[in-house]
C-alpha cells in the first residue's frame, strides 16, 4: 500500500495582487471619504515618492520614484479645505492608473491597513548585470521561512518548534500578501487586524538575534541566544536567516508599521533595517544546532486516531502512527508499543475508536516521536467522528487486516 503523507502540505503566503496584474491596472482605489490624507502622504513617502512642493499647510505635490517620474499627485494635508475630497479622489484615480509598482503597493496598504515587512539581499550580478531567477526564488523562500518562524513564536517560545504549532502558524500566513521579488527586494503586507502580533514578534526577534550574534562575536559566548528565545529567536528563525544570507554579500530586514494603526507598544516608531552578513553565518548555524540539541522532551497525554500499524511478525512489539486529535500541537506522532498495547491500538482502530496514550514527545525528529509510551486505552467518541474513522478503515481494510493479523 502506498503510504499517505503524514503532514499537510505547507500553506503558501498569498501572492501580492500585483503579481497577477503585472503590467496591467492597479487595484481599485478606495473611496476618498475612507482615506486619511496624512496616511496617504506617509505611504507615498514610504514607497519612495518625493514631495516637490505645494501650498504649505494645504496640499503637497508628490512625484513617483525612479527615472521618468511621470504624473504627479496633489495630496491635501487635511480635510480642512472644501476641495480636499476632490483632490483625494483625483490622486487615488491617478494611482490606480499608474503602472508603477509603488502605486499598487500604496493602494493595497490603503485598502487593508497592513504592517510591511521588507527583505533585501545583495547578490553579485551575473553576466551583463543579470540576476538568476533562482536568486529571487531563494529570496521568496527565505522570506516565507522568516514569517513562519515569527508565526511559530507567537504560539510558543521555544528554541526549536519542530512540528509543533506548525499548522496554526501556517494558517496565520494565509492573509499575508507578498509582492514580486525584484531587484533583490521583497515586501510582505501583514494585515494589522489579524497579523500585528506576528510583525511585533518578528521585530523583537530580529533585534534579539542581531544582538546575540554581536555578543558571540565579541565574547565567544552563546549565552545571549538563550535569552533571545523569549524575544522569538529559534532554530527556525536562525535557519531562515541562513537561507536569506547564504550566497549573498549581505541582507537586511525591516518592519514598518501601518500609518493608520500607529506604532505598537514597546516598538520603535521608525527602526533601521536589521542587517546580516556572510560573517554571521557560522554563528547562526551554531545557534541553530544548539537550539535543536537542547530543546527538551515534553511530557504529554495524547488522544489520536491510529492511521498506521507495523511490526515485523505476528507477535511482539510494533510501531503505531497516530493522527493527533488532542494533547499536542503536532499533526502525527509515531510510537513503539509492546505487544499488549499494540493489540489494544489495533483493535481500537478496527472498531473505529481513537486511543489515549501517555509518554514524552521527543525533540529529535521534530517532536514526531513519543517515547516511554504507557497507559494505552481506547477513547469513546461521538457518532460522527466514529463514522469518519470507520470510513478511513474501510478505505484501507486490506492494509489494516495484514497489520493487525496473527493475534
Amino acid at each position: 500500500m502506498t503510504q499517505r503523507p503524514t503532514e499537510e502540505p505547507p500553506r503558501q503566503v498569498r501572492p501580492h495582487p500585483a503579481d497577477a496584474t503585472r503590467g496591467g491596472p492597479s487595484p481599485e482605489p478606495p473611496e476618498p471619504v475612507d482615506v486619511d490624507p496624512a496616511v496617504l502622504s506617509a505611504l507615498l513617502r514610504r514607497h519612495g515618492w518625493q514631495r516637490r512642493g505645494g501650498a504649505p499647510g494645504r496640499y503637497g505635490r508628490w512625484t513617483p520614484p525612479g527615472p521618468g517620474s511621470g504624473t504627479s499627485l496633489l495630496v491635501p494635508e487635511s480635510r480642512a479645505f472644501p476641495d480636499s475630497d476632490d483632490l483625494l479622489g483625483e490622486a487615488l484615480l491617478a494611482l490606480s492608473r499608474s503602472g508603477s509598482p509603488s502605486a499598487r503597493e500604496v493602494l493595497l496598504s490603503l485598502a487593508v491597513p497592513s504592517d510591511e515587512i521588507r527583505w533585501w539581499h545583495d547578490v553579485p550580478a551575473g553576466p551583463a548585470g543579470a540576476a538568476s531567477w533562482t536568486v529571487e526564488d531563494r529570496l521568496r523562500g527565505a522570506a516565507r521561512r522568516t514569517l513562519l518562524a515569527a508565526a511559530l513564536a507567537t504560539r510558543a517560545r521555544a528554541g526549536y518548534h519542530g512540528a509543533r504549532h506548525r499548522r496554526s502558524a501556517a494558517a496565520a500566513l494565509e492573509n499575508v500578501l507578498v509582492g514580486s521579488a525584484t531587484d533583490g527586494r521583497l515586501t510582505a503586507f501583514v494585515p494589522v487586524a489579524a497579523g500585528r502580533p506576528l510583525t511585533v514578534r518578528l521585530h523583537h526577534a530580529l533585534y534579539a538575534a542581531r544582538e546575540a550574534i554581536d555578543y558571540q562575536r565579541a565574547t565567544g559566548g552563546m549565552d545571549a541566544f538563550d535569552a533571545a528565545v523569549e524575544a522569538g529567536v529559534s532554530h527556525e528563525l536562525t535557519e531562515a536567516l541562513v537561507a536569506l544570507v547564504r550566497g549573498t554579500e549581505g541582507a537586511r530586514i525591516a518592519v514598518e508599521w501601518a500609518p493608520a494603526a500607529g506604532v505598537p507598544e514597546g516598538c520603535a516608531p521608525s527602526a533601521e533595517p536589521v542587517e546580516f552578513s556572510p560573517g554571521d553565518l557560522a554563528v547562526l548555524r551554531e545557534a541553530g544546532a544548539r537550539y535543536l540539541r537542547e530543546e527538551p522532551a515534553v511530557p504529554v497525554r495524547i488522544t489520536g486516531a491510529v492511521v498506521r500499524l507495523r511490526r515485523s511478525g505476528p507477535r511482539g512489539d510494533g510501531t503505531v502512527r497516530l493522527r493527533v486529535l488532542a494533547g499536542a500541537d503536532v499533526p502525527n506522532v509515531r510510537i513503539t508499543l509492546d505487544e499488549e498495547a499494540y493489540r489494544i491500538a489495533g483493535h481500537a482502530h478496527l472498531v473505529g475508536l481513537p486511543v489515549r496514550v501517555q509518554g514524552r514527545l521527543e525533540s529529535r525528529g521534530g517532536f514526531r516521536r513519543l517515547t516511554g509510551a504507557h497507559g494505552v486505552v481506547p477513547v469513546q467518541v461521538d457518532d460522527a467522528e466514529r463514522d469518519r474513522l470507520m470510513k478511513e478503515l474501510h478505505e484501507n481494510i486490506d492494509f489494516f487486516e495484514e497489520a493487525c493479523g496473527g493475534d
Side-chain angles (χ1 to χ4, degrees):
M1 173 182 171
T2 301
Q3 181 179 345
R4 289 180 296 173
T6 61
E7 294 188 20
E8 297 178 358
R11 295 179 174 94
Q12 297 294 321
V13 290
R14 291 195 289 145
H16 190 301
D19 283 356
T21 60
R22 181 183 289 273
S26 292
E28 285 295 317
E31 293 296 323
V33 70
D34 297 325
V35 175
D36 183 338
V39 169
L40 175 55
S41 296
L43 289 171
L44 289 170
R45 182 179 293 106
R46 173 177 297 176
H47 290 275
W49 290 63
Q50 298 291 320
R51 179 165 177 167
R52 305 289 186 182
R58 184 165 183 174
Y59 64 83
R61 183 177 294 278
W62 294 82
T63 57
S69 50
T71 304
S72 62
L73 308 178
L74 289 180
V75 179
E77 294 187 7
S78 71
R79 296 186 180 276
F81 298 93
D83 61 349
S84 295
D85 280 348
D86 291 338
L87 289 177
L88 275 174
E90 292 171 4
L92 293 170
L93 183 61
L95 283 171
S96 69
R97 292 175 174 175
S98 171
S100 167
S102 66
R104 291 194 289 271
E105 292 180 346
V106 169
L107 287 175
L108 177 64
S109 294
L110 287 173
V112 181
S114 301
D115 296 324
E116 298 178 24
I117 303 171
R118 302 182 188 279
W119 294 260
W120 298 265
H121 65 184
D122 304 318
V123 180
S132 168
W133 67 269
T134 58
V135 171
E136 307 301 342
D137 193 50
R138 288 204 309 270
L139 177 59
R140 293 183 70 88
R144 186 187 187 280
R145 293 175 70 172
T146 307
L147 292 171
L148 182 60
L152 287 166
T154 66
R155 268 72 186 159
R157 304 290 192 274
Y160 175 49
H161 296 278
R164 295 178 295 172
H165 306 282
R166 193 160 289 260
R167 285 182 294 188
S168 62
L173 303 184
E174 289 182 341
N175 292 322
V176 177
L177 301 178
V178 179
S180 303
T182 55
D183 299 324
R185 173 180 173 272
L186 180 68
T187 302
F189 298 83
V190 185
V192 171
R196 174 145 281 188
L198 185 155
T199 49
V200 169
R201 184 54 47 210
L202 180 61
H203 172 81
H204 291 307
L206 290 173
Y207 279 94
R210 180 67 263 167
E211 291 171 2
I213 293 169
D214 293 341
Y215 180 85
Q216 194 282 336
R217 295 181 69 173
T219 68
M222 298 292 290
D223 298 350
F225 280 100
D226 296 334
V229 170
E230 187 59 30
V233 182
S234 63
H235 170 83
E236 285 76 9
L237 182 64
T238 60
E239 289 292 291
L241 294 175
V242 167
L244 177 66
V245 176
R246 186 178 53 232
T248 75
E249 296 174 346
R252 305 179 301 285
I253 307 176
V255 175
E256 297 180 322
W257 311 113
V263 179
E265 183 178 357
C267 296
S270 57
E272 292 295 319
V274 184
E275 299 189 17
F276 300 94
S277 71
D280 299 326
L281 288 173
V283 181
L284 286 168
R285 290 189 176 107
E286 182 181 355
R290 189 167 181 264
Y291 285 139
L292 183 63
R293 183 174 61 250
E294 296 187 0
E295 187 67 20
V298 182
V300 292
R301 185 171 70 168
I302 288 175
T303 301
V306 178
V307 296
R308 188 179 181 95
L309 293 150
R310 172 175 288 177
R311 61 181 174 184
S312 57
R315 296 188 178 278
D317 295 353
T319 300
V320 174
R321 180 171 292 135
L322 298 184
R323 179 172 55 81
V324 176
L325 303 175
D329 289 298
V330 295
N332 300 274
V333 295
R334 189 171 53 189
I335 314 170
T336 298
L337 299 175
D338 62 27
E339 182 173 349
E340 177 62 16
Y342 185 86
R343 182 186 64 79
I344 293 171
H347 286 178
H349 184 87
L350 288 172
V351 296
L353 292 176
V355 296
R356 181 177 295 129
V357 58
Q358 299 182 57
R360 294 181 65 81
L361 201 59
E362 292 288 339
S363 60
R364 289 176 298 173
F367 294 96
R368 295 182 179 92
R369 178 183 291 276
L370 195 72
T371 60
H374 62 281
V376 179
V377 294
V379 178
Q380 292 294 330
V381 295
D382 61 39
D383 292 342
E385 177 67 8
R386 182 167 178 154
D387 289 345
R388 195 192 60 72
L389 292 170
M390 290 299 293
K391 182 173 183 261
E392 185 175 295
L393 165 65
H394 289 308
E395 290 173 350
N396 303 283
I397 190 67
D398 293 340
F399 171 76
F400 281 104
E401 285 180 345
E402 178 184 346
C404 297
D407 194 2

